Amino acid sequence: MNVLIIGGGGREHALAWKIAQSNKVQKVFVAPGNGGTARDKRLDNIDITDVQALREFALANAVELTVVGPETPLAAGVVDEFRAHGLRIFGPTQAAAQLESSKAFSKAFMKRHNIPTAAYDTFTEAQAAHDYVTAKGAPIVVKADGLAAGKGVVVAMTEDEAHQAIDFMLQGNALGVSHNEGGARVVIEEFLQGEEASFIVMCDGKTVLPLATSQDHKRLLDGDEGPNTGGMGAYSPAPVVTPEVHARAMREIILPTIKGMEKDGIPFTGFLYAGLMIDPQGQVKTLEFNCRMGDPETQPIMARLKTDLVDVLLAATSQHAETRFDDFELDWDRRTAIGVVLAAHGYPMNPRKGDVISGLQQDTDDVVVFHAGTHMTEGHLRTTGGRVMCVTALGGTLKLAQQLAYDTIEGIHFDGMQYRTDIGFRAISR
């Protein structure tokens, strides 16, 4: 069968890499792909991003299964478009994708269905937002209501930081995001204490299949310092998600979300990512929902998955309920996987493009370099900005996986390369 992966980042490279291993698959198209997918002979890059053009390509090339990686095409309604033409696709509809595309929609949904989350309010007027911050004090969290590539959240430790974030997001709309009715809007919510984890499941509209637990590092610098990014690294499994926390997250967050979406008339299909805040007592609250796999969490999760992902995706998109994954059990590599992101000079706000990348070695059974911001031009692999690649390694312990990943990184070079040297430190220090 032919499979289409929509997207061009590290998450999509990891999904394509895993899907290409299936003996059911003849060809894997990646649209638009990147320099890493271009280097893999099992994958074909397709320079298409327009939703209708993607649908036309799928029809013309006998694509039997499409998997959507990033949030932008989901918010643009790619799932609706494909389904309207009888094409099999894994992902949420445009309406269901509002769980990610609108912070205000998501928070109102959680409030309506009693899903634990931080107290909040929403604002379109800067002065009202400033007054709210003054009344509540700091620390406090300011979020742009719209898709901002993981950079629309400011955890303000002082009131001044919060006021600056409000002006940045509302008055100048420097992030260039807008909510569903148009214009800029912010969600301001209480600051939650605890440890974050990524809880990702696959959904078929009614039933849920949890993936391996993971934890990412959002801050740019070691020790969780510096500005928020789209993610500087991740590892799986995440020890902070104990069996008790896992059961609580499923019972109090994931299952009520799936039932709530169905009750609201917008059943959720696809990957559902709940960002969790776990307090010292094991209580869990929802920081955010994403309607796709996390990046960079996908890379270590796919490295550990032993089950044929195509079997799972076919079950999830089946028209026959009895073949869905009520009784599916995923098989996981018992080892730990860690992914360390190599980012471009100037990331996250002003990433530089065009630097030549050197020193990449052949992937092995234990180390795979998943590309994101790369492109082949004139025989050279170059950066195209942002997060450039994710060096992903497997080891018998987190420390062994960590050592293997960082040993691999020592051989890779591009000007201005920046990365954290402590990915996984929270788990090691537990």
Side-chain angles (χ1 to χ4, degrees):
M1 65 187 297
N2 294 340
V3 179
L4 171 64
I5 310 294
I6 297 176
R11 166 185 47 232
E12 291 76 43
H13 188 181
L15 288 169
W17 170 84
K18 183 62 186 175
I19 286 170
Q21 296 171 15
S22 173
N23 58 17
K24 297 177 177 63
V25 172
Q26 180 179 0
K27 185 169 286 190
V28 179
F29 301 106
V30 191
N34 56 46
T37 53
R39 287 156 56 101
D40 190 331
K41 294 178 181 178
R42 303 169 301 172
L43 311 177
D44 284 357
N45 281 1
I46 308 298
D47 190 18
I48 304 174
T49 55
D50 176 75
V51 166
Q52 290 189 350
L54 286 166
R55 180 257 299 164
E56 291 169 0
F57 175 87
L59 288 169
N61 289 273
V63 170
E64 295 179 55
L65 174 66
T66 299
V67 182
V68 189
E71 60 274 24
T72 302
L74 292 172
V78 67
V79 170
D80 308 73
E81 177 72 18
F82 272 53
R83 287 182 181 170
H85 290 81
L87 290 165
R88 192 171 193 155
I89 186 168
F90 187 66
T93 61
Q94 186 177 40
Q98 289 180 97
L99 273 179
E100 177 172 9
S101 65
S102 171
K103 296 285 193 303
F105 174 93
S106 178
K107 296 292 284 190
F109 171 85
M110 286 187 270
K111 184 176 182 180
R112 189 164 63 250
H113 293 284
N114 298 311
I115 295 165
T117 189
Y120 77 102
D121 208 339
T122 61
F123 302 91
T124 55
E125 298 296 329
Q127 189 56 55
H130 287 307
D131 292 344
Y132 184 83
V133 167
T134 300
K136 294 292 184 181
I140 198 164
V141 181
V142 183
K143 298 180 176 181
D145 183 23
L147 299 178
K151 296 185 283 289
V153 177
V154 173
V155 180
M157 302 310 293
T158 67
E159 288 185 32
D160 281 346
E161 284 183 70
H163 292 309
Q164 289 173 20
I166 290 165
D167 288 339
F168 181 74
M169 294 179 189
L170 279 184
Q171 292 188 332
N173 194 13
L175 290 170
V177 301
S178 61
H179 58 86
N180 292 342
E181 290 81 39
R185 181 163 64 187
V186 295
V187 172
I188 303 179
E189 59 185 42
E190 70 171 317
F191 174 79
L192 297 178
Q193 295 272 16
E195 191 169 348
E196 292 185 40
S198 305
F199 200 96
I200 306 172
V201 301
M202 298 176 71
C203 312
D204 64 11
K206 289 183 179 292
T207 56
V208 170
L209 187 64
L211 299 182
T213 61
S214 59
Q215 189 169 34
D216 77 331
H217 297 262
K218 283 282 191 286
R219 299 281 189 163
L220 179 68
L221 305 175
D222 285 6
D224 288 337
E225 300 290 336
N228 262 340
T229 72
M232 293 300 292
Y235 55 92
S236 173
V240 68
V241 184
T242 63
E244 293 77 20
V245 168
H246 192 285
R248 176 168 276 164
M250 287 291 291
R251 183 176 66 249
E252 298 178 5
I253 296 173
I254 299 298
L255 294 178
T257 297
I258 299 306
K259 290 176 182 175
M261 293 293 280
E262 188 177 17
K263 183 179 179 182
D264 289 352
I266 42 176
F268 190 95
T269 55
F271 295 109
L272 179 66
Y273 169 124
L276 306 182
M277 181 63 80
I278 305 162
D279 73 13
Q281 289 74 45
Q283 300 290 323
V284 181
K285 287 189 176 181
T286 315
L287 290 172
E288 64 177 355
F289 284 121
N290 292 330
C291 294
R292 32 79 189 183
M293 287 279 280
D295 188 345
E297 295 96 332
T298 305
Q299 291 87 314
I301 289 174
M302 287 298 109
R304 291 187 60 219
L305 181 62
K306 297 175 76 173
T307 304
D308 187 333
L309 181 59
V310 172
D311 286 341
V312 188
L313 291 165
L314 290 176
T317 54
S318 170
Q319 297 300 309
H320 306 289
E322 66 272 13
T323 63
R324 290 182 175 175
F325 45 58
D326 299 53
D327 301 316
F328 239 100
E329 269 199 45
L330 298 179
D331 187 16
W332 298 99
D333 194 312
R334 295 176 66 86
R335 293 175 295 171
T336 294
I338 185 172
V340 181
V341 168
L342 308 183
H345 174 83
Y347 181 76
M349 296 311 294
N350 296 295
R352 189 170 69 199
K353 300 179 181 180
D355 290 309
V356 175
I357 303 164
S358 62
L360 285 176
Q361 302 298 313
Q362 285 290 111
D363 292 338
T364 69
D365 290 341
D366 297 328
V367 182
V368 182
V369 179
F370 294 113
H371 293 229
T374 70
H375 186 67
M376 289 294 296
T377 55
E378 300 175 351
H380 293 289
L381 186 68
R382 295 180 182 270
T383 65
T384 57
R387 293 177 294 170
V388 176
M389 54 187 60
C390 182
V391 178
T392 307
L394 285 159
T397 65
L398 180 54
K399 281 190 175 181
L400 288 172
Q402 194 181 52
Q403 182 177 350
L404 187 52
Y406 284 109
D407 286 349
T408 303
I409 288 169
E410 285 184 8
I412 302 172
H413 174 79
F414 55 88
D415 287 346
M417 184 172 85
Q418 52 176 331
Y419 61 93
R420 284 183 55 160
T421 64
D422 66 345
I423 300 301
F425 80 94
R426 288 190 180 277
I428 289 172
S429 63
R430 288 184 68 83

